[in-house]
């Protein structure tokens, strides 16, 4: 497995600083949060080429552009078309950076609230994105995420079955799946099968009240629940069954560390990197 930092953890830094810090940690690559002040659809090609030059000089590949494009299921056509134009710009940027995967969001609401038309509309636009991405030999990723159509393996497979393109797959995220209260262990990996194209790791913890740094609310099938962003091993998401299953299935691709716990960015990634290395070693 190859380990990457999520540049969003370093969002208070420039992308250049984020890349140097990622290299200092000893990670293999960096997944770029495709928004300012890092790299976004509005970034100039001159700036993108500077990022590529730094990537090459640090031997730090960029496996994924994690865009914030999406919400097709509840967007109007003009909004969706503007997202499509942004996506085409990101495909050009990915070509310069040597990036082969771009994340997009299909939209909401929660899978347990969604109607058939939400899935139909999301599938229509995802198919268009997939066709365009295929011209550039790029895969389109959807992240298993709470408060979305794809918050469980079941709902992810439902939407994937309506898309039918071999360059569309999922980001497995045990932290998000812990929030949703769905399986994120061995069965989730086996059931996703070839659709599992990327992995995010972070921890979360159910709590009783808001107010402390790193706390937030999310709607789940249990109602409105409260959570604390945590470092690996300090929350409620047990990642060992996930890493055991990744080893069992021969997964050798990218795992991105995405910790948003209320600690300094470098410190929290350093902690999670040590935790992931232990998980890999004991898998």
């Amino acid at each position: 497995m190859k380990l990457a930092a999520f540049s969003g953890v370093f969002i208070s830094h420039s992308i250049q600083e984020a890349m140097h810090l990622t290299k200092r940690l000893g990670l293999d690559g960096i997944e770029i949060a495709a928004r300012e002040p890092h790299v976004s659809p509005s970034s100039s090609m001159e700036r993108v080429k500077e990022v590529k030059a730094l990537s090459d000089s640090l031997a730090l590949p960029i496996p994924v552009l994690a865009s914030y494009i999406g919400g097709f299921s509840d967007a109007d056509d003009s909004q969706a078309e503007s997202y499509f134009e942004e996506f085409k710009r990101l495909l050009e940027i990915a070509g310069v950076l040597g990036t082969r995967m771009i994340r997009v969001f299909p939209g909401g609401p929660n899978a347990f609230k969604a109607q058939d038309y939400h899935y139909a509309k999301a599938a229509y636009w995802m198919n268009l994105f997939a066709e365009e991405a295929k011209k550039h030999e790029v895969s389109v990723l959807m992240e298993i995420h709470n408060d979305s159509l794809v918050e469980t393996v079941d709902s992810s497979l439902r939407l994937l079955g309506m898309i039918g393109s071999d360059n569309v797959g999922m980001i497995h995220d045990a932290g998000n799946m812990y929030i949703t209260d769905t399986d994120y262990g061995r069965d989730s990996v086996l059931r996703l099968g070839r659709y599992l194209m990327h992995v995010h790791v972070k921890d979360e913890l159910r709590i009783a009240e808001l107010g402390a740094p790193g706390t937030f609310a999310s709607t789940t099938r249990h109602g409105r629940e409260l959570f604390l962003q945590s470092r690996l091993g300090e929350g409620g998401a047990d990642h060992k069954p996930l890493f055991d299953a990744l080893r069992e299935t021969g997964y050798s691709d990218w795992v991105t560390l995405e910790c948003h716990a209320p600690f300094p960015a470098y410190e929290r990634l350093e902690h999670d990197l040590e935790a992931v290395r232990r998980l890999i070693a004991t898998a």
Side-chain angles (χ1 to χ4, degrees):
M1 280 174 261
K2 298 168 286 188
L3 304 179
F6 180 54
S7 84
V9 175
F10 293 120
I11 204 66
S12 63
H13 297 265
S14 70
I15 186 58
Q16 291 84 358
E17 291 171 332
M19 293 170 76
H20 280 288
L21 290 168
T22 297
K23 187 67 177 181
R24 186 189 306 171
L25 281 163
L27 287 156
D28 304 306
I30 184 166
E31 176 178 339
I32 292 183
R35 59 176 175 164
E36 297 299 329
H38 291 181
V39 173
S40 76
S42 62
S43 296
S44 69
M45 274 303 168
E46 180 180 6
R47 183 174 171 205
V48 173
K49 289 175 182 175
E50 290 172 357
V51 172
K52 171 60 173 171
L54 181 57
S55 168
D56 289 343
S57 69
L58 294 175
L60 194 71
I62 302 164
V64 180
L65 286 177
S67 89
Y68 295 85
I69 293 170
F72 317 115
S73 55
D74 46 17
D76 62 37
D77 288 347
S78 63
Q79 287 176 313
E81 287 167 4
S82 70
Y83 297 151
F84 191 41
E85 293 305 311
E86 289 184 12
F87 181 71
K88 287 193 281 189
R89 175 65 174 169
L90 280 182
L91 286 170
E92 295 176 13
I93 291 171
V96 174
L97 296 178
T99 301
R100 302 266 63 88
M101 295 184 286
I102 299 177
R103 179 187 72 179
V104 301
F105 288 104
N110 300 79
F112 61 87
K113 294 181 178 180
Q115 303 298 314
D116 289 347
Y117 71 85
H118 289 115
Y119 282 93
K121 190 168 184 180
Y124 171 80
W125 284 102
M126 288 300 302
N127 270 311
L128 290 181
F129 275 52
E131 289 172 11
E132 190 67 24
K134 190 167 286 189
K135 299 173 187 175
H136 299 260
E137 299 182 343
V138 167
S139 293
V140 182
L141 303 179
M142 298 183 291
E143 182 174 350
I144 300 182
H145 206 293
N146 50 301
D147 298 312
S148 80
L149 295 179
V150 289
E151 60 183 5
T152 68
V153 171
D154 283 340
S155 62
S156 299
L157 292 174
R158 176 181 178 182
L159 183 54
L160 287 164
M162 299 171 70
I163 298 168
S165 295
D166 60 7
N167 65 326
V168 178
M170 303 306 300
I171 301 174
H172 187 291
D173 191 310
N176 292 339
M177 296 161 85
Y178 167 82
I179 293 170
T180 302
D181 192 21
T182 189
D183 174 65
Y184 52 83
R186 181 175 184 270
D187 285 349
S188 69
V189 172
L190 295 181
R191 292 186 63 214
L192 284 172
R194 66 181 180 85
Y195 292 117
L196 198 166
M197 294 185 178
H198 189 52
V199 176
H200 281 180
V201 293
K202 61 177 178 283
D203 210 346
E204 313 285 356
L205 182 67
R206 277 179 169 77
I207 56 171
E209 61 182 33
L210 296 175
T215 60
F216 65 97
S218 183
T219 299
T220 75
R221 60 191 175 90
H222 305 298
R224 182 175 181 267
E225 293 193 277
L226 311 180
F227 300 90
L228 171 66
Q229 295 169 322
S230 306
R231 298 185 299 185
L232 280 179
E234 296 177 354
D238 180 6
H239 282 71
K240 189 175 190 316
L242 167 64
F243 278 89
D244 288 347
L246 293 176
R247 173 65 63 84
E248 176 186 343
T249 57
Y251 182 85
S252 59
D253 292 318
W254 289 93
V255 174
T256 292
L257 280 59
E258 195 196 4
C259 181
H260 294 291
F263 295 89
Y266 189 91
E267 178 184 319
R268 68 181 107 121
L269 280 187
E270 187 174 41
H271 175 281
D272 278 19
L273 176 58
E274 292 175 2
V276 166
R277 284 175 171 164
R278 287 195 298 271
L279 286 165
I280 292 172
T282 58

